[in-house]
Amino acid sequence: MQNSADSAVFVPHFHWDREWYEPFQVFRHRLVTALDTVLETAEANPDFRFTVDGQMAAIEDYLEMRPENRGRVAALVARGQLAIGPWLILLDEFLCSGETIVRNLQMGWAAAAGLGGSMPVGYLPDMFGHVAQMPQILARAGIEHAALWRGVPGSVDGHAFRWRAPDGSEVRTEFLFDGYDNGLDVLLVPDQIGRALGEYAEMTAGRWGGDPLLAMAGTDHNAPDPRLAAWLRRASSDERAITIATLDEYIREHVRDEVSAVVTGELRSHVRGNILPGVLSVRLALKQRMAVAERTVDHAERMNALWSRRDDSPFLSLAWHKIIESSAHDSVVGSGTDETSDQVEARLAEAAQTARAVRDAALAEPAARVPSDGHLVANPLPFPRTALAEVDVVAPPEETVLVATSDDGSVHPVQLVSQAPTVLADERMDASQLERVLRRIHRRELFGRLIDHYELTPGSLVFHLAEVPSSGPFDLLILRREVAAAAAAHPGEWRVLTVEEARATALVPVEVPASGLTSFRVAPADTAPGLRTAPATATDRTLANGLVEATVAADGTLDVTGTDGTVLYGVGRLVDGGDRGDSYNYAPPARDVLVSEPAEVTTELLENGPLRSRIRVTRVYEWPAALSSERDVRATRTVPTPVETLVEVRAGEPFVRVSTSFLNQSADHRLRFHVPLPEPVAGSASAGQFAVTERGLTAEGGWGEYPLPTFPASAFVSAGAANVLLDHASEYELVGDGSELAVTLLRAIGSISVNIHPLRDEPAAGEIPAPGAQDLGVRVENRFAVLPSATGWQGANAVALAEDFRNDVLVTRGTAPADGPLPPAATGVRVDGTDVLVSSVRRVTDEDRGAGTELRLVAMSATGSAARVTGAFTEATTVDLLGRPLSTTPVADGLELALGPWEIRTVVVR
């Protein structure tokens, strides 16, 4: 092996943003041309090598247009000239779940296998920082190496380091310290490559040690010049040997494995490159749709695996594929044009719709055993819980009490929260028009309900509708004949009245087994049973349930008291400020105006228990309409903006649910939800991607981007005594020297990038307008929960409660004949353990062992966790993250798992 003074390895490649400042199909047209060039160049020159950006999406997109070239691609892979995989797409690691990262790797690896095999390198060239558990994810897939650019701390002074996950897993990581295009400057003048390479080698010699210089010869959306190999052959000499290789070949054949530098945890330093943290909060709808799609496909997999005889894996794979496509680092981040973001949003919606179809079909099977006057409840979580089911029921007469009866005969109280109108239509028409009314009827359905019976008298036709008819058969042909005769006998004006049985929305407390099913029916009773927990109560300004209390202060903020007596005062202080930045980076105007005091505050008691209590707080703010033309001053014109905050307490829950809603009428601004802390703190912790990551009050800077300490959180964020449970990936910051936690609700901007940015030296892209990112005229909604605890996130049991908060039970009406017996409750797979996250439960099939149920568990603790898995299985196989078996154990009475600190463990039970 020659040293860096006399050798260099060039890695031809491109970086392919699937969609960004142009939509996907425009970029794909360029992609096909680029890969045509790559294939032709490689076939004409056996020494040429090419690395396809670490993502199989580029190959899939290409072969969809050039299916005839599949054999050519496979042949180049077999010859080692083309390095493909391991990812399906280059994702933003912080804006999707840890499970999505795993599925991305699995689908990319499988797609590459179909063309000859994947490059065994976790190539992450352009992500905006990297999650702490990525080394473990790679290592548990059998991948020993990574290569990346952004986020590496200043402590790394060489071209490689050992990247360590919280569990202790490590991967040797190639640090692309000058970016993934560092070799291009050397190639600017082809007949001066030797000289330029010498100057670059001398300038960077301290980083290479005894290893050859790595020159990444590629950039965004362009194939290398077909003459590249010839240029490099001419430039190679006895003084400086030049080799062309794939990235995998460089790592395997040209560098040392022994690396002394170690970096532990996430990579979010600004010191060697922009990490563009503002993408965490721009285009809120994309973050919310990602969370909904991930949650829906997760629920669909669990229901299909546990309660359906039908294997809907093709539909689930389609949903996952669309989610993973959308997780690309220029997709879900929202840094593209409006048309690009519209496509991402639609793709995520389609993923959720596909998954919803699978989920509902799976639940329809057990629902067929539940009477139609009852409801089936499914628990997507692998531990038993008591949850509220919200259902539509027949409204009782006044003074009549409703109760819910479960299959075991237990009786539960019911809370009515709304009642629907009973008159659906009241029309007057000539007798000759009655036939037109009958055309509305489809067999028995009318206005979304079913005709129970009808009354036909001279001059009057009354339809009585019901969700479940109690009368006998209905014959539309007989009705037509009777109406025709009545109309002929009684010409003139008729009244047609359509009424339905009185309906109401009811809340029912349901005890549902782990991953299980139960059912109930609601019926009148003489008296209501008592609650098994303290009721949720309300006054005009206070909600309480014996575990937590929330009081609305005069300024509309909340004073929240936790189970242990911890009080958080002033929760929900809203602070709105200007933003003169872009989709990549927030920037305050030089003369900012912060608005934090409402001009008007009103409260309204909506529900007063006993199962759920709610207060609506409306605060009206005068927010500046936009920035002034000079962009460093907020406009003097203000827009009165009512912000509704729904505060909710449920019986048995130790947290307060909070949701905010407003119609955004202002441009160029950032709105944050503040949680003042009882005393200042020195750091925070947030949960996401299989870990809880601790952070301080500052971020490391030193390059060209101001290091704002805004950070990502997915499941919850914790600071001192405040724990905020989250619905979707969010941005937060500790402000006021650690005295307040601020969670971003909206960041509205109008450009992908701005050329002159006060907190970033280098433009992140072209200065392309993105008016849709202002969210003007959009109703902006956020939901979260506040959990006070003096003992932090672990003492508060935040891991489990965040799962409770994010995953409602699934409720569907039964379809068996009414009045029949309720089927017995059923338990699926149960997992017991403290701080154990179950990331996935799904159906898998092995050619040798047949069908099984795969579970992925994570110890969300620095001390590890003991987990016990029970269910209808007799053996358990531990597999790696690509599903390859590692060991099999017979199981007699539950599976005991000792999970190490932050360990990800995947098992298949049969």
Side-chain angles (χ1 to χ4, degrees):
M1 180 186 300
Q2 296 171 301
N3 63 40
S4 62
D6 53 21
S7 63
V9 177
F10 278 75
V11 174
H13 75 102
F14 57 41
H15 174 55
W16 207 271
D17 302 290
R18 194 168 185 261
E19 53 199 355
W20 182 18
Y21 58 82
E22 293 284 8
F24 162 58
Q25 296 295 357
V26 174
F27 270 146
R28 172 150 71 175
H29 191 270
R30 299 180 190 176
L31 171 69
V32 170
T33 301
L35 279 177
D36 280 346
T37 299
V38 168
L39 298 191
E40 292 164 4
T41 302
E43 289 167 341
N45 186 345
D47 295 331
F48 182 78
R49 301 286 189 270
F50 190 79
T51 300
V52 192
D53 205 29
Q55 54 178 335
M56 286 302 298
I59 297 294
E60 289 187 349
D61 295 340
Y62 174 76
L63 290 179
E64 191 173 354
M65 295 295 104
R66 294 277 195 268
E68 69 278 9
N69 286 348
R70 186 177 183 85
R72 295 174 66 193
V73 170
L76 291 172
V77 172
R79 292 201 295 267
Q81 288 186 262
L82 204 62
I84 60 175
W87 302 102
L88 178 59
I89 208 160
L90 295 181
L91 71 163
D92 186 285
E93 299 167 33
F94 293 97
L95 290 175
C96 64
S97 69
E99 189 62 33
T100 297
I101 297 175
V102 172
R103 301 304 179 91
N104 188 342
L105 186 57
Q106 290 176 342
M107 295 184 88
W109 193 269
L115 288 166
S118 173
M119 172 176 72
V121 179
Y123 187 46
L124 306 162
D126 198 31
M127 285 73 162
F128 306 153
H130 304 278
V131 297
Q133 287 280 41
M134 184 58 76
Q136 184 180 180
I137 291 171
L138 295 174
R140 288 185 179 256
I143 297 174
E144 299 176 349
H145 298 273
L148 50 83
W149 167 32
R150 304 184 197 264
V152 178
S155 60
V156 176
D157 55 10
H159 74 100
F161 61 96
R162 300 208 68 80
W163 187 13
R164 183 177 296 161
D167 78 312
S169 300
E170 291 185 355
V171 290
R172 181 199 177 278
T173 302
E174 188 66 30
F175 176 27
L176 308 176
F177 59 89
D178 277 338
Y180 54 79
D181 60 355
N182 71 312
L184 288 189
D185 287 350
V186 173
L187 303 175
L188 285 174
V189 182
D191 60 3
Q192 294 294 314
I193 289 175
R195 176 196 55 77
L197 181 58
E199 292 177 0
Y200 182 71
E202 182 178 355
M203 182 174 62
T204 60
R207 289 196 168 266
W208 302 110
D211 292 334
L213 181 151
L214 171 62
M216 299 294 290
T219 189
D220 296 358
H221 316 131
N222 283 286
D225 193 297
R227 297 167 293 176
L228 174 63
W231 294 344
L232 295 177
R233 277 195 297 270
R234 288 199 301 268
S236 185
S237 65
D238 293 339
E239 290 76 25
R240 183 165 288 106
I242 297 176
T243 304
I244 296 179
T246 63
L247 182 62
D248 178 38
E249 288 173 330
Y250 173 78
I251 291 171
R252 283 189 294 108
E253 300 175 7
H254 294 278
V255 299
R256 299 159 297 155
D257 283 334
E258 301 82 14
V259 177
S260 59
V262 176
V263 178
T264 300
E266 71 176 3
L267 306 179
R268 288 193 63 84
S269 171
H270 305 254
V271 73
R272 295 295 305 178
N274 296 335
I275 64 167
L276 311 172
V279 298
L280 297 173
S281 51
V282 75
R283 295 195 191 266
L284 170 69
L286 292 180
K287 282 63 172 176
Q288 293 174 325
R289 283 199 179 274
M290 174 62 75
V292 168
E294 289 176 326
R295 194 153 50 237
T296 307
V297 74
D298 177 41
H299 292 176
E301 283 190 330
R302 298 181 190 221
M303 297 303 109
N304 182 256
L306 298 173
W307 305 114
S308 177
R309 294 184 299 273
R310 170 175 169 169
D311 184 355
D312 267 334
S313 296
F315 290 94
L316 293 167
S317 294
L318 174 64
W320 272 117
H321 201 288
K322 290 185 177 297
I323 288 171
I324 294 164
E325 290 176 58
S326 304
S327 73
H329 67 289
D330 284 306
S331 298
V332 70
V333 299
S335 61
T337 59
D338 289 351
E339 57 184 344
T340 294
S341 294
D342 289 346
Q343 288 181 329
V344 177
E345 194 169 337
R347 190 184 303 129
L348 286 169
E350 190 176 351
Q353 293 154 9
T354 304
R356 189 180 75 210
V358 173
R359 180 199 69 194
D360 293 350
L363 290 176
E365 295 181 44
R369 299 188 289 274
V370 176
S372 59
D373 58 342
H375 291 84
L376 174 75
V377 181
N379 180 11
L381 299 180
F383 48 80
R385 59 201 287 220
T386 298
L388 285 187
E390 188 169 311
V391 295
D392 179 66
V393 298
V394 177
E398 289 189 24
E399 308 303 325
T400 301
V401 173
L402 290 181
V403 298
T405 304
S406 299
D407 62 276
D408 62 0
S410 59
V411 180
H412 307 275
V414 170
Q415 177 182 336
L416 294 182
V417 294
S418 66
Q419 188 157 328
T422 56
V423 177
L424 302 184
D426 188 352
E427 306 165 278
R428 295 187 182 275
M429 62 188 66
D430 189 79
S432 62
Q433 301 298 309
L434 291 177
E435 173 61 27
R436 297 176 60 184
V437 172
L438 302 185
R439 294 176 194 163
R440 301 170 178 166
I441 303 170
H442 301 276
R443 291 168 292 280
R444 192 167 190 165
E445 181 271 327
L446 176 61
F447 296 159
R449 299 293 187 188
L450 298 178
I451 297 174
D452 184 78
H453 64 281
Y454 60 89
E455 300 172 54
L456 181 62
T457 56
S460 174
L461 173 59
V462 181
F463 292 106
H464 294 269
L465 310 184
E467 187 169 14
V468 180
S470 58
S471 60
F474 169 80
D475 193 324
L476 180 58
L477 294 179
I478 293 176
L479 172 63
R480 289 182 180 278
R481 185 170 65 245
E482 291 178 350
V483 169
H490 304 281
E493 185 178 80
W494 276 63
R495 183 189 188 193
V496 179
L497 184 65
T498 306
V499 297
E500 70 167 331
E501 59 190 352
R503 309 294 300 180
T505 300
L507 299 176
V508 179
V510 182
E511 296 176 359
V512 57
S515 304
L517 306 174
T518 191
S519 57
F520 67 88
R521 59 161 53 94
V522 175
D526 296 330
T527 59
L531 271 175
R532 300 184 184 181
T533 60
T537 60
T539 66
D540 289 343
R541 304 187 78 88
T542 298
L543 306 174
N545 65 1
L547 297 174
V548 68
E549 180 177 291
T551 299
V552 182
D555 62 356
T557 63
L558 307 174
D559 297 337
V560 182
T561 304
T563 304
D564 62 1
T566 298
V567 184
L568 302 175
Y569 294 99
V571 172
R573 186 171 74 93
L574 298 181
V575 180
D576 183 76
D579 190 343
R580 60 144 301 171
D582 51 33
S583 66
Y584 293 102
N585 295 79
Y586 160 78
R591 286 165 284 171
D592 201 1
V593 174
L594 297 181
V595 180
S596 60
E597 298 299 324
E600 179 185 340
V601 178
T602 58
T603 62
E604 180 184 3
L605 176 60
L606 301 179
E607 297 174 13
N608 183 15
L611 301 174
R612 185 175 75 187
S613 292
R614 285 176 163 180
I615 291 175
R616 180 167 55 220
V617 182
T618 303
R619 290 174 283 179
V620 180
Y621 293 88
E622 292 289 341
W623 290 342
L627 294 180
S628 69
S629 57
E630 60 183 283
R631 294 197 57 75
D632 255 331
V633 181
R634 297 192 81 178
T636 56
R637 184 174 72 86
T638 62
V639 181
T641 305
V643 180
E644 293 183 354
T645 302
L646 184 65
V647 188
E648 175 181 321
V649 168
R650 297 183 181 183
E653 287 187 343
F655 50 78
V656 176
R657 294 173 181 257
V658 179
S659 59
T660 60
S661 174
F662 64 93
L663 183 67
N664 183 46
Q665 303 170 79
S666 298
D668 307 310
H669 70 126
R670 180 181 69 174
L671 177 67
R672 301 204 286 189
F673 182 99
H674 284 234
V675 181
L677 306 177
E679 57 185 30
V681 297
S684 63
S686 75
Q689 298 81 34
F690 303 143
V692 178
T693 302
E694 295 185 356
R695 306 183 179 99
L697 299 181
T698 60
E700 184 183 33
W703 196 64
E705 182 179 62
Y706 185 82
L708 284 176
T710 50
F711 297 112
S714 292
F716 65 80
V717 56
S718 177
N723 302 280
V724 179
L725 313 182
L726 300 169
D727 171 71
H728 59 271
S730 301
E731 171 192 86
Y732 77 90
E733 181 181 1
L734 284 176
V735 298
D737 295 325
S739 63
E740 289 190 71
L741 172 66
V743 179
T744 305
L745 303 185
L746 173 70
R747 200 168 73 82
I749 50 87
S751 181
I752 289 179
S753 177
V754 293
N755 292 335
I756 305 300
H757 193 293
L759 302 184
R760 189 188 65 231
D761 291 346
E762 181 186 3
E767 194 167 277
I768 302 171
Q774 296 282 17
D775 281 336
L776 288 170
V778 173
R779 179 153 292 278
V780 177
E781 298 179 338
N782 285 272
R783 76 180 189 103
F784 31 87
V786 179
L787 174 64
S789 173
T791 53
W793 64 269
Q794 282 189 292
N797 197 25
V799 170
L801 291 177
E803 287 292 280
D804 251 343
F805 172 67
R806 291 162 68 93
N807 295 275
D808 291 332
V809 291
L810 309 173
V811 184
T812 187
R813 180 175 287 279
T815 56
D819 299 323
L822 295 170
T827 301
V829 174
R830 175 168 177 165
V831 178
D832 292 293
T834 302
D835 290 334
V836 175
L837 172 70
V838 179
S839 173
S840 171
V841 179
R842 64 165 175 162
R843 181 197 306 258
V844 293
T845 302
D846 182 272
E847 292 183 0
D848 298 325
R849 295 180 177 273
T853 302
E854 181 190 85
L855 296 88
R856 192 156 10 261
L857 304 93
V858 186
M860 297 288 282
S861 165
T863 58
S865 301
R868 176 174 169 80
V869 183
T870 53
F873 54 88
T874 58
E875 72 169 29
T877 301
T878 299
V879 300
D880 70 5
L881 281 186
L882 296 179
R884 297 173 295 207
L886 300 175
S887 63
T888 299
T889 305
V891 178
D893 183 27
L895 176 64
E896 305 287 345
L897 297 174
L899 303 177
W902 307 109
E903 181 187 355
I904 305 167
R905 182 86 63 89
T906 308
V907 296
V908 177
V909 295
R910 293 181 173 87

